[in-house]
Structures are given as structure tokens and as C-alpha cells.
Amino acid sequence: MIRLEEVDFSYREGEKVLFGLSLDLPPGLTLLIGPNGSGKSTLMKLAAGIERPDRGRVSIGGLDLWREEVAARRRLAYVSEQPDLTPYATIMDVLRLVCRLRRESVTEARRALEQAGLEGCGDRSIRELSMGQRRRAVVAAAWIGSPQVLILDEPLEAMDRAMREKIVSWIDRALADQCTVLIATHDIEPFAPSARRAVAMRDGRCRLLDPLPADAAPRIAQLDALSRGLRPGIGGQ
Amino acid sequence: MLAVFRFHAVVGARVALQSFTPLFAAIVAAVMLQMYPAALVKGVALGLFGDRPAAAILMFVAFLAFLLPAWAAPRLALGLQGWLRHLPVSDARSRRGLELSLLVVQAPLLLILVLLAAVARHQGAGIWGPVLLQLGTILAAGVLASLPVRRRGLLIPTAAAAALAALTSPHSVYLAIPSLILCEVAAGPIRVIRHRRHPRVFLSLAATIAWRALGWRLPAAYAAAMTPMLVSMLFVANNELEGRLAAAAFRFGFALSLGTCLALVSRGLAVRRPVWPWERSLPDSCARRVLRDALFLGLHAVPPALIGAAIHTGASLAAASLLPALLFRAAVAMRRIRESRAGTGPFFAEACIFSALLALLPWIAAPALASAPLFFRAAHRSERQQKVTKWLEAPHRAIGDSLSWSDE
């Protein structure tokens, strides 16, 4: 479960990006949609503990991300939109670090690397990989261990078809295991069938749509309209 | 053609601006420290533009003429190997554009030479044509020696030989100039910079990343850290001080050495190893990150502290008692540096104040040591309050990210 309570956030003093956001996201798939610049990635960063809210509280499974930092983060995996792995370490170094912090064996790192199709790239730094490979490396890090909360920012971007299928099936398995999955995406179709709810972002405010229409066609139409920011009058939850 | 050269000139000017302040500050400081600064300037001007140019002054000019382009070349070349390569510009033209950028990077040196020429003229010296040719050859050789091109193996020795010839005799430039021109024509296209493979990590990943990011800046930090220590030693050696005053001078010098070392290492880390946002989603804590940074910084304060202990153990111990406070203040500075144009200046100022207080009031060592937890809390708060994904110029510029060439 991801919980945001009265969260405000700004990158610069006096320029708020998120306003009094409150959300309860129980297990299941939640799609985070909205036009560019609406605050989706910022919300993801707050939920993943990358940025700290200026006001309010963010918790993962009841654990405050900024009070019980280690315990809360042990349950989550984050795939960022920008694959910002450090250029001063190899991919294998990074995966080993993830294994150590998630208390997994190092063989998990090799397995994740193989699954992501990066067997020969373990000793390379992120700078030596293509954009698709960089994103695969970040996804491979998310595959290590069994995180209960997945926060995925545009997980299919820059991926080839085979990798997209792998990611979608990984998400399906996580949903079957009662994980909480939050996906920010403009690519609605692959996730629409399994989505339980959607959060529509616009101008730093959000609206929760729970449940989504049961039928596929109206569900996709509604999600599509929201991702284009067509619905006026979006306010707090 | 003109557009390409204009672009490269502007890029070179931007890079030149970065070297302008430190270079002038160093030269002004060196001149002002002399007993007779005006006489020194006149002497250098006449030594360079007089009838018989002084070899030592020419050598210093040659040192700067080679240093500035060598420092700028990797940054400029990195910007040339990406998207720009698809534009309809030939390899030769790109290379000449880069040469122009590197020549513009030497602008601070050119300005110094122009000022010295004006001083020499004011002193009644006629600016001798062959000297200008000598200087021109040295500047051109500096540019060519730093070019990252395919035939670098040919370029570097030729440029060095040309500069040496220009240094030794005004007449040998007539041989040096054609050889430089031939080398430039045969230089080949700009070489694509390949990233070095990283060896295996044997220590902690955080420390390895930090060391890789710092690279050669570490010896430079140590060299700078030795300066206050050396000055305090000279001060004590050249003045008849009683034991108490000598200890105070050593305390000041040693504490300032630690502060200088920490300021430079923390600056290097903040700029070269910026915050890694994704890492913050892993099961780790702000407190651990701060402690890791403090430990890493502390490790690098050990050599100056040991050297200090060998010189004056009591003063070194007193200076070491400031270390925990300085470490956590440096950790705060690392986090603030991202948003501050002052760099580690405020931290260095704090270190100066701490050092002066320690020199005058040695008993503050005990409260400084006892207040380490408070400094840790401040560093912890600073780590938590960072806006880690906000765009900031310094770290992007440090790694040559072309997106950093903004007006921000």
C-alpha cells in the first residue's frame, strides 16, 4: 500500500509542483496518467523516496519513507524514467549493491542480468550502453528480490517487443502476488486490462478514478481522455 | 564556414571564462605577495618584450599555453562527438573549429600578454617582431599538442619540438611554423573519446565511486592542503617564537590544512559525483549516506593529520579534535554546493574561523569534539532536504554534458 497524505512539493521556492495531494493506493495496478508536465514523475519520485515532500507524509506499507527509511524502502522497487545509474560503476557493481541492500544473494544479480538480456554487459558502465539497455539495467535492478511495491515510470519506453512482453508479464505476476503497482505511462493499452484504478494528474493536482469502467472500450476511452488532460475540473481526491 | 567558426569561438569563450578567474586570481596574488609588485610587472614585461626575451618567462608562457588547451580539449571534444556530427561539416572543418575553440581558450593568456606588451611599451621598449612570432608559435603549438585527433602521436612531439625551438631562438621559428602547418594538415579527424573500463570493485562501492569520480583531483587537494602547513612551518622557522606561540601557529596551520583538504575533496565530490537520485529508492538511509561521506572525507584528512603529527604532535592532536565538526560541515557543504555559486567558499571560511579560534583558544577543542552530534544532525537534515532531481548546472558541466551549456 502506498499512502500520500496532504503532500506539497516544489523544486524551487514558491513554485509548487504538487498541491495538497492525498492518495491511498492499495494492492493492485494503479495507472498514473496525465499530460506532460502535470507532475506524474514528481509524484513517482515522492512515492519512491527520491524526493522528500515539503509538507505531508509518504508511507509504504504503513512505514514512513522518511522516518523508517530502510524498512520502507526494502519493500519497494523503482524504475525511473531517466536511467540514472552512476557512470562510475559497472552495471554488475550496481546490481550487487541492490542485492546487498535487499539482502539477496549475488546470484540474483546475475539472474536478473540474464533475464534482461544483458549477460555480456555486466562489466560495462551505463555510458557504454544504448538507451534501451540502460533502461533494461534499471528494470533488472527492480527484478532483484521480491519487492511488494513497484513504482514504474514509463516502464515500456525504449524497450523492444520481447522486453515489453517480459515486463508486462512480470507486472502480471506481481499483481497475482498482491503487490501494489503504480505505473506512470502514456502507453495505456498494455496495462488497461489489468488496471484496477487510475490517478489522473493535471497541474499538480490529482483525481482518483476507482473503479474504472469494466468494459474495455469505455475504459480505454476514459484513460485516453484523461492522459490527454481533456477532463476539466480536476481537483483533490 | 563562418557559422561553424563562430559557433566554436563562442564555445571556446565559454570554456575560457571558467579559467579566467582562477588564473587571474593566482597571478594577482603572486604579484601582490612580492615586495615590489610594480617592479616585478615591469621586469616581466621588459623581460618578455625587450631586446632579449628571458627564457624563464617564455617558459612560463609556454607552460600556460600548453596547460589551458590541455585542460579544455576533453570538454570541447566531448561536445563534438554527439549530435553535432550529423551536421554537414567535414572532419577537417570540425577539427579547425576545435582548434579555434582551443585558441580562444588561451584568451586569458593572450590578455596577460597584451597587458605586458602595453607595460613594456610604456617603459620605452619597442615590441620586437620576432618575439611576437615566438609567442604565436608557442600558442599554436599548445593548441596542436592538445588536439584529440587520430595522429596525436605525430602531433604531440612536433608541437613540443616547435615550442622548444621557439623558446631557444627567435630564428628557429621559421622552421617550427612550417612543421606545425604540415602537422595540422596531417592530423586526421577528431578521435571519438571512449570511456575507460572500470576495474573490479574490491572495497565498498560508495568509496570506489567517489575515488573514480575524484580521479587526479585528489593529489591536487593534498598539494593545496600542504600549503597552510608549510606556511605555518616557515612562519615558526623565520620568527623567534616562544613555545606557546609556535604551538598556536602550528594549530592554525594544521587545522587550516585539514579544512583546505576537506573543502577541495568535498567540492570534487559534489561536482563530479552528483547525487544519484535512483539510489535513494534503495533500502538505505540519509544518516548512512551522511556518515559514509564523512568517513570518506575523514579518510582523506588522515595524511595531512599524520604529517602534522610528525611536525608537532600536540598541535596536530588539537587540530584533529576539530575534524568531526569539519567533516560534518563539509558534508553539509557538499549538499549545498549544488545550489550555491559560492562553491565550498562558505565552508572554507568556517574552517578559517575554526582554525583561528583553535589557535587563540586551544580549549575549544573539547567543546568542538563534544558538539559533533549536533553537526551530524545538521548534515542529516541537509541530506533530507535536498531537491535531488532539480536541474543544476555544476555537476552537468563537470562531466561535459552538452545540455549544461545554458545561460543559467
Side-chain angles (χ1 to χ4, degrees), chain B residues 12-222:
Chain B
R14 277 179 184 273
V15 177
L17 281 174
Q18 291 177 31
S19 68
F20 202 82
T21 315
L23 187 64
F24 268 84
I27 288 173
V28 168
V31 169
M32 296 311 288
L33 281 173
Q34 301 300 313
M35 186 77 82
Y36 304 107
L40 176 80
V41 173
K42 281 177 198 167
V44 170
L46 290 173
L48 198 56
F49 294 105
D51 293 341
R52 288 180 64 83
I57 300 171
L58 275 176
M59 274 171 73
F60 182 66
V61 171
F63 170 70
L64 288 180
F66 276 71
L67 179 75
L68 290 172
W71 162 76
R75 293 153 193 257
L76 293 167
L78 202 63
L80 284 178
Q81 65 185 30
W83 175 87
L84 273 176
R85 284 172 78 92
H86 91 285
L87 295 177
V89 180
S90 68
D91 278 338
R93 203 169 285 179
S94 286
R95 189 184 69 235
R96 283 182 190 132
L98 180 59
E99 286 163 16
L100 178 66
S101 292
L102 292 170
L103 205 62
V104 175
V105 165
Q106 291 175 328
L109 175 61
L110 270 173
L111 184 62
I112 293 168
L113 292 176
V114 168
L115 290 174
L116 288 174
V119 172
R121 203 165 174 77
H122 189 255
Q123 293 299 307
I127 306 300
W128 202 40
V131 177
L132 296 180
L133 263 182
Q134 272 178 290
L135 290 173
T137 307
I138 290 169
L139 291 175
V143 166
L144 290 181
S146 62
L147 271 185
V149 285
R150 188 185 292 163
R151 297 193 186 92
R152 219 169 162 215
L154 171 76
L155 226 56
I156 292 174
T158 313
L164 203 65
L167 281 172
T168 48
S169 148
H171 301 295
S172 48
V173 294
Y174 300 112
L175 248 173
I177 292 171
S179 62
L180 284 181
I181 292 171
L182 278 176
C183 263
E184 196 284 329
V185 173
I190 295 171
R191 207 177 46 184
V192 174
I193 295 171
R194 306 248 176 249
H195 297 294
R196 279 176 302 167
R197 282 286 168 94
H198 294 308
R200 251 192 97 117
V201 173
F202 289 106
L203 283 160
S204 102
L205 181 62
T208 309
I209 287 172
W211 272 314
R212 283 174 184 164
L214 281 172
W216 56 267
R217 286 157 198 84
L218 209 49
Y222 281 138

Side-chain angles (χ1 to χ4, degrees), chain A residues 9-12 45 48-52 54 66 69-70 73-74 76 78 80 84-90 93-94 96-98 101-102 123-125 127-128 138 141, chain B residues 195-201 205 208-209 212-213 272-274 276-289 380 384-391 399 408:
Chain A
F9 184 77
S10 58
Y11 286 104
R12 291 174 197 280
K45 288 174 197 166
I50 308 292
E51 295 284 7
R52 184 170 184 246
D54 297 335
W66 295 96
E69 291 170 84
V70 177
R73 283 170 174 77
R74 199 157 274 144
L76 76 83
Y78 169 58
S80 53
D84 66 340
L85 302 183
T86 176
Y88 298 114
T90 63
D93 292 338
V94 173
R96 274 199 210 99
L97 171 75
V98 177
L101 292 173
R102 292 206 185 123
D123 62 343
R124 293 192 200 167
S125 106
R127 290 187 289 202
E128 295 170 86
V138 181
Chain B
H195 297 294
R196 279 176 302 167
R197 282 286 168 94
H198 294 308
R200 251 192 97 117
V201 173
L205 181 62
T208 309
I209 287 172
R212 283 174 184 164
R272 302 286 309 179
R273 187 216 60 179
W276 180 11
W278 176 79
E279 189 205 19
R280 290 165 75 96
S281 71
L282 298 176
D284 204 357
S285 68
C286 293
R288 282 190 207 166
R289 277 192 287 274
H380 182 233
R384 286 166 80 104
Q385 286 172 349
Q386 283 192 101
K387 306 280 183 188
V388 293
T389 53
K390 182 176 169 183
W391 172 270
I399 59 160
E408 197 184 339

